[in-house]
Amino acid sequence: MKLIPAEYALNKTTVIKKKLADRYLQPPTNKIGKAFAPTNIALVKYWGKRNQELNLPMTSSLSISLGNKGAETILSLNDKSQDEIMLNGNSVDLESAFAKRLFNFLNLFRTSSHTEVWDPVSSNPSLTINIKTNIPIAAGLASSACGFAALIKALDNLYNWNLSIKDLSILARLGSGSASRSLWNGFVEWHQGEREDGEDSHGERIDTTWAALRIGLLIMDVKEKNISSRLAMQRTVETSQLYSAWPKKVSTDLHVMKQAIATKDFELLGKTAESNALNMHATMLAAWPPVNFSLPETLNNMQKIWQLRAEGLPVYFTQDAGPNLKLLFLKNNQETLTKIFPSLEVVQPF
Ligand code: PMV
């Protein structure tokens, strides 16, 4: 076993310090930083970390961004004695889990250089963080993905770092793994990378558009999930006997998915995405205690989709860390599907 001396131990701060160099902990140059990032749905999923601190994944993954569905974040300097967070027009309790997760990330970029302890009054001006989303938060609709991607872009804007999009992807990953894919529109591959510091673990856009592709959000529950994806992943990696088969499944699916995208083979894309999601949920069900994100309605709708396919309608689904399904289909079947699923919210990614 390779022993890593303590002074080389990498944490988020060491990674950020290296990336920002002399720009690290400099005061903001603008009064406002504003950015939008789309949310993304993985067609080949990320499930399991090889490094918990830096959100380094066990495998690569591949997603599609949801166009104008996502988060807009505006950071503005305020003259109050403390920060404030507004979420869709409502003030957020600064003691809530949501606020704590946000500040844990944000404060990595504005800790006082003298004390290494963030003090909102003496070290930095307070911020008003105004977030507007058009997707339900924490309902398995990748709200953390677009949230952290929009936040790092807004910080880049506020502090004038002028980082490359690849570097923004690396920094967004420190907030939430899937956020590393939310810096681009369209299809994005997140390369797992091999390095200990995660410098090669970032998103990359796949240069293919597919105008007829549609994603339908079939929302059954907008409540917060009862277990975070972080804990659920960790438990799966540690206790599920099926997990050892997962990296191989992902590697095959990634290869096939890229082929399906390049040749615009919809059936191959749908089949690969659905099978990948079902395999991911199977690994979770085999964890102990079991991890189950589905509701009875989730399974009912899966059966409905399998029935529709048996009747000749090309529609597939994928499912993330929540009970909702995302349907995959082509434009020519949109009308039929919105009649069958009246609540379906259709997104046109390209
Ligand atoms: O980035 P996280 O910690 O929110 O995890 C995302 C996990 C899945 O949505 C289930 C899969 C994925 O690749 O987005």
Side-chain angles (χ1 to χ4, degrees):
M1 202 176 95
K2 211 168 80 189
L3 287 178
I4 304 167
E7 65 267 30
Y8 296 128
L10 288 161
N11 59 28
K12 290 189 173 85
T13 309
T14 51
V15 169
I16 292 167
K17 267 186 190 168
K18 203 170 150 213
K19 190 154 297 299
L20 293 176
D22 57 359
R23 288 168 294 180
Y24 182 59
L25 301 180
Q26 293 297 314
T29 46
N30 292 328
K31 284 205 155 55
I32 271 197
K34 182 175 169 176
F36 171 83
T39 193
N40 74 77
I41 303 292
L43 299 174
V44 179
K45 310 287 186 194
Y46 144 59
W47 199 252
K49 300 177 204 277
R50 67 172 196 277
N51 178 321
Q52 300 283 338
E53 163 75 11
L54 301 182
N55 287 337
L56 295 176
M58 291 282 201
T59 69
S60 296
S61 55
L62 191 153
S63 62
I64 181 151
S65 290
L66 295 195
N68 62 4
K69 291 244 165 264
E72 184 195 61
T73 296
I74 303 174
L75 300 172
S76 43
L77 306 185
N78 74 28
D79 45 18
K80 297 179 185 154
S81 60
Q82 52 163 249
D83 296 321
E84 58 180 1
I85 309 177
M86 302 294 291
L87 178 59
N88 295 328
N90 301 313
S91 166
V92 175
D93 177 2
L94 297 184
E95 292 304 313
S96 66
F98 179 90
K100 283 187 179 154
R101 194 167 173 210
L102 196 154
F103 285 130
N104 279 342
F105 184 72
L106 189 63
N107 292 343
L108 292 167
F109 300 93
R110 57 173 191 169
T111 308
S112 154
S113 50
H114 306 296
T115 62
E116 296 277 335
V117 175
W118 177 67
D119 169 355
V121 184
S122 60
S123 319
N124 278 291
S126 302
L127 284 175
T128 297
I129 303 137
N130 197 335
I131 307 164
K132 285 186 199 139
T133 66
N134 49 11
I135 47 158
I137 301 284
L141 280 167
S143 54
S144 65
C146 57
F148 285 108
L151 183 56
I152 197 69
K153 282 171 81 178
L155 281 166
D156 184 71
N157 193 205
L158 182 76
Y159 287 90
N160 246 320
W161 294 326
N162 289 312
L163 289 172
S164 68
I165 191 155
K166 177 180 140 188
D167 280 345
L168 292 175
S169 167
I170 289 171
L171 293 181
R173 190 199 72 231
L174 301 177
S176 160
S178 55
S180 66
R181 301 184 307 235
S182 265
L183 278 301
W184 296 265
N185 281 316
F187 296 110
V188 178
E189 180 173 3
W190 170 14
H191 302 286
Q192 64 185 81
E194 286 172 359
R195 288 175 55 141
E196 251 163 54
D197 62 3
E199 270 297 301
D200 52 358
S201 185
H202 54 80
E204 185 185 16
R205 193 175 86 90
I206 296 176
D207 190 15
T208 306
T209 55
W210 193 335
L213 194 65
R214 295 290 181 273
I215 310 221
L217 307 179
L218 194 58
I219 297 178
M220 289 156 250
D221 191 355
V222 292
K223 282 205 296 289
E224 289 213 10
K225 49 199 178 196
N226 52 15
I227 176 167
S228 68
S229 49
R230 167 172 290 270
L231 277 179
M233 273 184 209
Q234 198 175 350
R235 193 189 291 168
T236 310
V237 173
E238 282 168 7
T239 69
S240 171
Q241 281 200 28
L242 300 188
Y243 192 76
S244 59
W246 175 246
K248 197 158 164 256
K249 168 74 181 155
V250 170
S251 149
T252 313
D253 286 350
L254 270 174
H255 180 76
V256 177
M257 185 59 76
K258 283 192 247 180
Q259 202 182 321
I261 292 169
T263 58
K264 297 211 169 59
D265 183 338
F266 174 71
E267 306 260 339
L268 192 60
L269 176 141
K271 183 178 147 196
T272 309
E274 185 173 307
S275 154
N276 185 269
L278 288 168
N279 269 264
M280 176 183 76
H281 286 276
T283 65
M284 293 184 213
L285 278 174
W288 200 263
V291 178
N292 170 39
F293 285 109
S294 298
L295 290 171
E297 297 96 292
T298 314
L299 298 179
N300 288 341
N301 281 312
M302 284 183 186
Q303 272 166 339
K304 206 160 153 182
I305 291 160
W306 292 327
Q307 182 59 37
L308 289 169
R309 262 207 325 266
E311 290 163 9
L313 188 70
V315 54
Y316 297 83
F317 66 81
T318 183
Q319 181 191 2
D320 291 287
N324 304 308
L325 296 181
K326 291 92 182 198
L327 272 46
L328 302 164
F329 54 94
L330 292 176
K331 185 182 169 203
N332 57 336
N333 291 312
Q334 182 166 335
E335 216 182 303
T336 313
L337 283 162
T338 45
K339 277 190 193 126
I340 300 171
F341 300 100
S343 68
L344 197 68
E345 194 174 339
V346 180
V347 179
Q348 193 177 326
F350 295 100

